[in-house]
Amino acid sequence: GSDPVEYQRDRRRDRGHRTVLTNEVLRHYGLRVEDWSGSKYVLRDRKGSTHIVQDLGALWPAAAKLAGQPLDPLDPALRAAISAADVG
C-alpha cells in the first residue's frame, strides 16, 4: 500500500495503458497522443500539428478541434475499426 516506488510504477503503468486505449480511438480520426514525462499529453495530427493538454479531460475537446470534427465514441465506423483491431 504505502510504498512510494510501487505507487509511481503503478501510476506510470496505468497512464501508459490509458494512452494506448486513447490512441485506439484517436487513430480513427488521424490523431495520436503521447505521454509527456508523466505530467502532460502531446496530441498530434498527421500534418504535424501538436497541442499540449494537461489531462485526458482536456484532450477530447482539443482532439475534436485538431481533427476539425466532433469525436463520437458511438460512431459505427469507429466501433468497427476498434473491433477489427481487437480481432487482428
Side-chain angles (χ1 to χ4, degrees):
S2 64
D3 181 4
V5 174
E6 185 177 332
Y7 171 77
Q8 287 300 324
R9 185 176 50 242
D10 290 347
R11 186 175 174 273
R12 280 192 304 272
R13 184 187 63 237
D14 291 347
R15 188 173 171 93
H17 184 67
R18 284 191 298 272
T19 301
V20 168
L21 294 174
T22 301
N23 275 322
E24 287 185 25
V25 174
L26 292 177
R27 186 178 308 117
H28 181 73
Y29 297 98
L31 305 172
R32 66 185 167 100
V33 68
E34 299 168 0
D35 184 17
W36 185 19
S37 301
S39 64
K40 294 177 179 52
Y41 292 96
V42 180
L43 178 64
R44 301 178 191 278
D45 70 7
R46 291 181 181 142
K47 297 176 234 163
S49 298
T50 62
H51 190 83
I52 296 172
V53 294
Q54 296 294 319
D55 54 42
L56 292 179
L59 178 121
W60 299 109
K65 184 176 180 182
L66 200 55
Q69 65 179 332
L71 278 61
D72 180 3
L74 300 179
D75 176 359
L78 169 62
R79 293 171 50 105
I82 290 174
S83 293
D86 285 345
V87 170

